[in-house]
Amino acid sequence: MLPSLFIAHGSPLLAIENNEYTKFLTKLGQTLPKPKAVILFSAHWESKIQKVSNVDQYRTIYDFGGFDEALYRIEYPAKGDNQIAKEIEDLFTNNGVSFASETQRGLDHGAWIVLRLLYPNADIPVISMSVNSNLTPEEQYKIGKALSVLRANDILIIASGGTVHNLAALKWSDNGQVDSWALEFDDWLAHHLDKWDLPSLFKYDSLAPNAEFAVPPYGKEHFIPIFYAMGAADNHQKATLLHRSFRYGNLSHSVWQFE
């Protein structure tokens, strides 16, 4: 059975950089068994109702500005899978999850940057999924849990975001130093993920140190994908930190495996 993963997508620059983190993601894609398809929840696709992509061919969305021109020439021509999209919709129906089918939207950079590093040939079908930061963590977890049975069918579930994501606090002239508040929050998170302590994790905003900086209201959508990924592994409830590094003073590059 494939795990579910929470993967930080970092800055769009990862698409053209060669560093510790990009090398890790490339190796991860080579190490994991090749999936039949990937279901990907992206922090950069928010909607009030759960959206399920049902497309034949994705276009590449450049939902960022002011970066190197080379980024806007990258394409990731992934295909969808109508049958798996229908399976997802049936599971949501059976588990009381409201949803809507999306037949037009392409892949945002929260999706294609991660996918391109893992599977550069774009030869694995993708079902893109939205997230909703207005839901409670319990509700987000429930959505992921509804899909957990798909992991036994060689389908990889990925949630793309970032455990510490505060654009206002980034230090673009990176000197390698990591802000203590970011480390304290991420250490708290790791401790409670390791114990699968859902009561504490669901109240991270009031219990975790420096939560207001690590997960500011305008950046909440980057943190909450972790609950979708956790829910997809509710049957065993095992969390493993595969990678952690930081850029720009506090932007986390964390990869969590749930199984």
Side-chain angles (χ1 to χ4, degrees), residues 13-86:
L13 290 170
L14 285 179
I16 57 174
E17 290 179 330
N18 180 23
N19 56 39
E20 173 192 4
Y21 188 48
T22 61
K23 289 176 182 176
F24 170 80
L25 290 179
T26 298
K27 185 176 180 181
L28 179 63
Q30 296 168 350
T31 303
L32 288 169
K34 187 173 182 178
K36 175 183 175 182
V38 173
I39 297 171
L40 191 143
F41 291 89
S42 174
H44 284 275
W45 184 11
E46 292 190 88
S47 64
K48 293 181 179 179
I49 186 171
Q50 180 63 52
K51 294 290 186 71
V52 181
S53 284
N54 192 346
V55 303
D56 294 322
Q57 178 79 54
Y58 289 99
R59 60 188 173 85
T60 306
I61 301 175
Y62 309 100
D63 50 335
F64 46 78
F67 289 95
D68 192 304
E69 188 62 31
L71 284 172
Y72 305 92
R73 295 193 293 269
I74 294 174
E75 293 189 2
Y76 190 79
K79 296 184 183 299
D81 189 300
N82 304 125
Q83 180 179 344
I84 295 175
K86 179 63 166 57

